[in-house]
Amino acid sequence: MKLVAIYRQPPDSESFDQAYFGTHLPLLEKVPGLQRTVITRFSRTVMGEDLYLMAEMYFQDLEALKNGMRSPEMAAAGKNLNSFAEGLTTLLFAEEIEDGR
Amino acid sequence: MKLVAIYRQPPDSESFDQAYFGTHLPLLEKVPGLQRTVITRFSRTVMGEDLYLMAEMYFQDLEALKNGMRSPEMAAAGKNLNSFAEGLTTLLFAEEIEDGR
């Protein structure tokens, strides 16, 4: 089970990066039950929306994810996020269902 | 290096799944240089856009990805995709830049 955050292209990517990697990720890493975070940087849009960054945050299962979401650590990370990424963020629960080849 | 396809919620998810898993993925798996495909199904939107599915397609490097994009196999997979996912798709080049914890 994972929590996926997708960020659209920010107006100022340098200050976004400073806030994201400097303050947001360290707060996020304190969330109980979070096992692993994979960050993806989008480099070129072939079709559709201009996206900037994605974070995939892995938890043991749905219950662990829900517990993480309800934690004060996640509330702090979310509050921090709103200070620099409001309107840019899509946040979803997700599951990897196939790992082909 | 990876190619990331993100699909918004389709009007009919059952027929989307039939086309995607039944015809699109088998065509995609023929693309030269594709090493691994990870499919993510979104189950709940916490914030932002209603997304449905994501495919992360891994290649050795940018050159391998570009060669894959130019291949007749990718053209066939793209043509197939347009037959059922037009207007739903965002497609981007991307790189995993951090794997924390």
Side-chain angles (χ1 to χ4, degrees), chain A residues 2 29 34 40 46 91 101, chain B residues 2 29 34 40 91 101:
Chain A
K2 61 186 177 182
E29 277 163 12
L34 178 64
T40 290
V46 181
L91 188 66
R101 282 209 153 180
Chain B
K2 62 185 177 182
E29 278 163 10
L34 178 65
T40 290
L91 188 66
R101 280 212 155 176

Side-chain angles (χ1 to χ4, degrees), chain A residues 22-85:
Chain A
T23 67
H24 183 63
L25 266 190
L27 286 171
L28 196 68
E29 277 163 12
K30 292 179 185 161
V31 170
L34 178 64
Q35 296 178 321
R36 198 164 66 97
T37 303
V38 177
I39 307 288
T40 290
R41 193 185 282 279
F42 297 110
S43 50
R44 184 183 144 194
T45 304
V46 181
M47 187 191 305
E49 270 194 296
D50 260 351
L51 302 178
Y52 183 63
L53 207 72
M54 172 169 66
E56 295 171 278
M57 294 152 275
Y58 290 82
F59 293 80
Q60 182 66 40
D61 51 27
L62 180 60
E63 200 185 330
L65 171 52
K66 285 182 172 172
N67 286 338
M69 292 295 286
R70 281 191 290 254
S71 69
E73 290 86 352
M74 185 64 91
K79 195 178 165 188
N80 166 266
L81 193 71
N82 283 340
S83 72
F84 68 92

Side-chain angles (χ1 to χ4, degrees), chain B residues 7-14 16-17 50 52-53 84 88:
Chain B
Y7 302 96
R8 279 183 290 281
Q9 191 73 44
D12 177 348
S13 56
E14 203 176 312
F16 182 97
D17 280 8
D50 259 350
Y52 183 63
L53 208 73
F84 68 91
L88 299 175

Side-chain angles (χ1 to χ4, degrees), chain B residues 45-87:
Chain B
T45 304
V46 180
M47 187 192 304
E49 269 194 297
D50 259 350
L51 302 177
Y52 183 63
L53 208 73
M54 171 169 67
E56 295 172 276
M57 295 153 274
Y58 290 82
F59 294 81
Q60 182 66 41
D61 50 28
L62 180 59
E63 201 186 329
L65 171 52
K66 284 184 172 172
N67 285 337
M69 292 296 285
R70 280 191 291 255
S71 68
E73 290 86 351
M74 185 63 92
K79 196 178 165 189
N80 165 265
L81 192 70
N82 282 340
S83 72
F84 68 91
E86 200 157 18

Side-chain angles (χ1 to χ4, degrees), chain B residues 7-31:
Chain B
Y7 302 96
R8 279 183 290 281
Q9 191 73 44
D12 177 348
S13 56
E14 203 176 312
S15 64
F16 182 97
D17 280 8
Q18 273 177 16
Y20 189 83
F21 293 99
T23 67
H24 184 63
L25 266 191
L27 286 170
L28 196 68
E29 278 163 10
K30 291 178 185 162
V31 170

